[in-house]
Amino acid sequence: MARTSAQPPNQTLTKMRGSTVGRIEAALTQAIAAGELAPGERIDEVTLTERFGVSRTPVREALSRLVAQGLLIPGEKRGVRVADYTREQLAQIFEAMHEIEAACARVATQRLSLLARVEIEAAQAECIAAAKAGDRAAYLKANEAFHLTIYRVTGNPYMAEIASEFRNRTGAARAKKFATPEDLLASAQSHEDLIALIFSEDSEAASDGMRAHMAQSFRATLAAN
C-alpha cells in the first residue's frame, strides 16, 4: 500500500492557526503604520473576531505579538491599545530612524538597478496620484509603500526589517501630520527631491537627503502630536 504524505490533523491545525494569527498581525500592523488606528486607541477583541471570522484565541495571540514588538501596549482591564509615545520617546525613535533610513538611502543608491528605478518611480506615482486626489488614506498607504520600496532596493533584508519596524512603531503618530490636502502634496513633492538624489548615484548626497527628509518629518510629527 502506498504511503500517504498527509500531515497529522494537529499539525495541520497548528499551521492553519499560525496563518490566521499572521494575517491578523499583518492587518493590524498595516493599519497602525497607515494611521488608521490612532495613538492610544483601544483595540477591541470582539470587533476583531467578527472582522476576521475567528475565535478569540488567534486574535489574542496576534495582539500579544504586537505588544512584544512595541506597536501595542497593555491597557486597562487586560486590554491593549495602540502605543502612544511621549515627545521624548518619539525623539529617541526618530533619532534611530534617521540613521537607518539614511543608511538605506545610501545603500540603495549604490545598488540601484534599472528595475529598482522603475519600482521607485512606480511607488512615487502612487503617492502623486493620491496626493492630487486629496485621498489621505490612500496617500498614507502609498507613502509607506514608497519607503518600503527604498528599503527593498538595498537588497539587504535585515536593514529593511529594522527600518520597517521603526516605521510601524511611528505610523500612528506620523499620520497626524497629514491633516490637509496641502500636506499630502508637500510630502509627495519632497519625495521628488529625494528620488533625484538617489538616482544621482551620489550615495552620500542621498544619505544626507534622506536624513533631511526624516528631520522634516520629525518636526511635523511633533507639531501634530
Side-chain angles (χ1 to χ4, degrees):
M1 180 180 295
R3 296 180 62 185
T4 178
S5 59
Q7 295 179 335
N10 60 336
Q11 186 174 346
T12 300
L13 289 174
T14 298
K15 286 191 174 183
M16 290 176 61
R17 188 178 72 178
S19 176
T20 300
V21 172
R23 180 164 57 91
I24 298 171
E25 179 185 1
L28 289 175
T29 296
Q30 182 178 25
I32 294 170
E36 296 171 9
L37 295 172
E41 183 171 343
R42 184 177 180 278
I43 306 299
D44 183 64
E45 287 186 9
V46 176
T47 299
L48 291 178
T49 61
E50 295 174 351
R51 173 184 172 185
F52 292 99
V54 298
S55 67
R56 289 199 177 190
T57 298
V59 168
R60 287 174 175 171
E61 188 171 340
L63 295 179
S64 294
R65 290 184 182 183
L66 294 175
V67 169
Q69 295 170 34
L71 275 69
L72 300 178
I73 57 176
E76 298 177 354
K77 298 181 180 179
R78 300 178 62 183
V80 296
R81 56 190 176 87
V82 179
D84 189 6
Y85 299 109
T86 65
R87 291 171 68 87
E88 181 179 1
Q89 289 172 325
L90 277 176
Q92 293 169 341
I93 295 173
F94 265 91
E95 183 177 34
M97 284 182 72
H98 286 177
E99 299 306 317
I100 189 63
E101 293 262 356
C104 284
R106 182 177 65 253
V107 175
T109 301
Q110 294 169 345
R111 299 176 179 175
L112 196 65
S113 65
L114 178 59
L115 177 59
R117 286 174 178 265
V118 171
E119 291 178 342
I120 291 174
E121 289 173 342
Q124 172 63 352
E126 293 292 328
C127 290
I128 293 293
K132 287 183 175 180
D135 190 331
R136 181 177 181 273
Y139 185 79
L140 288 170
K141 291 181 180 179
N143 184 49
E144 295 306 298
F146 172 78
H147 282 270
L148 291 177
T149 299
I150 294 176
Y151 306 160
R152 186 171 63 252
V153 169
T154 66
N156 188 319
Y158 300 100
M159 291 181 68
E161 181 180 2
I162 294 171
S164 297
E165 179 183 342
F166 283 123
R167 291 201 72 79
N168 292 339
R169 279 176 175 265
T170 59
R174 286 185 293 102
K176 289 186 175 183
K177 69 182 180 179
F178 298 111
T180 68
E182 290 72 25
D183 294 333
L184 307 183
L185 290 169
S187 176
Q189 183 56 52
S190 70
H191 288 173
E192 294 289 341
D193 299 333
L194 183 58
I195 290 172
L197 291 172
I198 293 175
F199 287 6
S200 73
E201 300 183 3
D202 185 337
S203 61
E204 291 306 316
S207 177
D208 290 342
M210 179 62 87
R211 199 182 300 277
H213 180 74
M214 293 306 299
Q216 190 282 328
S217 177
F218 175 58
R219 289 192 294 271
T221 298
L222 278 187
N225 283 271

